[in-house]
Amino acid sequence: MRLISLIFALFIANIFFVSGQGIGSPGTIKDDGRFAASTKQVNQFFRRFNAEESPTDGNVRYYPGDSLYHNRALREGFIKVLFDNQTSSISSDLKESFIKNVLSADYPQYLNFHREGWLAEVQADFFFKGKRETATLFLKLQPEGLGYEWVIDRVSFPPFKNLFNKPVGNEKDFLHPLSHELGFMNLRRAFQDSNLPEAFTKSSFEPDYLTLFLYEMKQNNIKFETVKDVKFHFFQIEGWYFEVNQFNRPGFNTGWLISNLVRLNPGDKETILKYIYDQE
């Protein structure tokens, strides 16, 4: 059985995968269901990316010591069908460069479920003071006891967007450096006379929207309704960023697939993270 699987893996590794998975006439793919079945779970995405499950039976796992565990040819075949090959605009050249980088004989790279470098983005509906609003929650894994847990790391919530508008430069009001000689009685300017008390905070001040979100929830002003959408952002592959979304559609190019791929230059990771967190 292992020999048959390996021969099959080597065969599919040399096929150019396009929209509508399966093996057909030269340069085309048909739906035959032998390999490119839906990646139904995020955990399965990890296993396929790393070549840790059978290409013919997703219930068969490969572990260290198995002949096909992390097999390079098998990984290449898997990764090619882990892209959204129907709607994304990722070029073939970029995909091939990514795959070549990941499968490097000198420095192969793998995904690790428990390692830092990936996060979940969850769109969820809440009722805020009687009005339906969509919040974007960012979750990360953290160790807990003998295992791990998902925790909310940040939140983006439209009603909070304009709550703080700290002025800068000549427009910024301030407390005189000799305010201490007055017993700081001029704090009245910050707390009573000003509509922008954030102007009197340190230059690096950034509002903690997650604390504010949880406070409003504890005051029963925010009530959870439902989850609308989930996606994942990956930075675990050195020099690359990719996004994974769920696609529910006919055919075999479905499930959790790579929908966006970016080659990273110095500083790009920080720029992308800022965009992800400040996308409103």
Side-chain angles (χ1 to χ4, degrees):
M1 180 62 185
R2 288 295 177 85
L3 180 59
I4 295 175
S5 296
L6 180 56
I7 292 173
F8 180 74
L10 292 172
F11 175 64
I12 61 173
N14 293 310
I15 296 173
F16 181 71
F17 289 86
V18 297
S19 300
Q21 310 296 304
I23 302 170
S25 58
T28 64
I29 307 294
K30 70 177 183 178
D31 292 340
D32 62 8
R34 286 185 292 170
F35 175 79
S38 173
T39 305
K40 300 178 180 64
Q41 298 178 336
V42 177
N43 283 4
Q44 187 178 36
F45 179 92
F46 277 79
R47 294 196 300 269
R48 290 185 165 191
F49 191 96
N50 295 338
E52 295 173 359
E53 76 169 33
S54 166
T56 55
D57 185 350
N59 294 317
V60 177
R61 310 284 179 81
Y62 295 150
Y63 299 96
D66 290 335
S67 61
L68 293 179
Y69 179 77
H70 289 184
N71 176 272
R72 188 179 187 279
L74 185 56
R75 287 193 73 199
E76 183 174 0
F78 266 132
I79 294 174
K80 284 184 176 179
V81 294
L82 287 178
F83 284 96
D84 167 27
N85 290 317
Q86 294 188 25
T87 61
S88 73
S89 58
I90 306 172
S91 70
S92 297
D93 288 344
L94 192 63
K95 291 180 187 177
E96 291 301 321
S97 180
F98 173 75
I99 293 172
K100 182 179 179 180
N101 195 184
V102 167
L103 300 179
S104 166
D106 297 327
Y107 182 48
Q109 298 189 64
Y110 304 91
L111 296 179
N112 187 319
F113 187 87
H114 299 117
R115 194 177 74 216
E116 291 185 359
W118 71 299
L119 63 135
E121 177 182 331
V122 179
Q123 300 281 337
D125 277 352
F126 294 83
F127 281 100
F128 178 54
K129 297 181 178 179
K131 182 181 177 181
R132 183 188 290 269
E133 300 280 1
T134 299
T136 305
L137 304 172
F138 300 98
L139 294 88
K140 294 182 178 180
L141 281 173
Q142 75 172 19
E144 174 61 28
L146 299 178
Y148 290 80
E149 64 178 355
W150 282 103
V151 294
I152 303 171
D153 183 58
R154 294 191 184 207
V155 65
S156 178
F157 195 50
F160 294 167
K161 186 174 183 180
N162 296 317
L163 282 180
F164 300 96
N165 186 22
K166 185 174 180 176
V168 295
N170 294 331
E171 298 180 359
K172 181 184 178 303
D173 204 352
F174 66 96
L175 295 174
H176 195 279
L178 293 179
S179 297
H180 59 286
E181 301 293 1
L182 302 175
F184 291 103
M185 291 300 295
N186 56 346
L187 280 172
R188 177 185 300 274
R189 296 176 61 187
F191 299 139
Q192 181 173 307
D193 300 338
S194 175
N195 292 324
L196 296 172
E198 60 267 32
F200 300 88
T201 61
K202 62 183 181 179
S203 58
S204 60
F205 167 76
E206 290 188 7
D208 184 351
Y209 291 117
L210 180 55
T211 297
L212 182 58
F213 186 84
L214 297 176
Y215 172 79
E216 292 286 3
M217 184 167 287
K218 291 172 74 71
Q219 296 299 308
N220 292 320
N221 291 325
I222 296 179
K223 296 184 182 297
F224 174 76
E225 177 67 11
T226 187
V227 170
K228 295 170 57 179
D229 187 52
V230 177
K231 67 176 66 173
F232 298 91
H233 303 279
F234 284 82
F235 295 91
Q236 285 194 357
I237 302 302
E238 185 177 325
W240 295 88
Y241 156 78
F242 63 89
E243 180 181 315
V244 173
N245 282 265
Q246 188 175 37
F247 296 87
N248 295 312
R249 59 195 176 199
F252 293 103
N253 188 223
T254 64
W256 294 101
L257 303 171
I258 298 173
S259 59
N260 192 13
L261 178 67
V262 177
R263 189 195 302 271
L264 298 178
N265 294 312
D268 286 350
K269 178 180 178 180
E270 292 71 23
T271 301
I272 291 175
L273 279 171
K274 187 177 188 306
Y275 173 78
I276 292 171
Y277 290 141
D278 302 332
Q279 57 189 293
E280 292 175 1

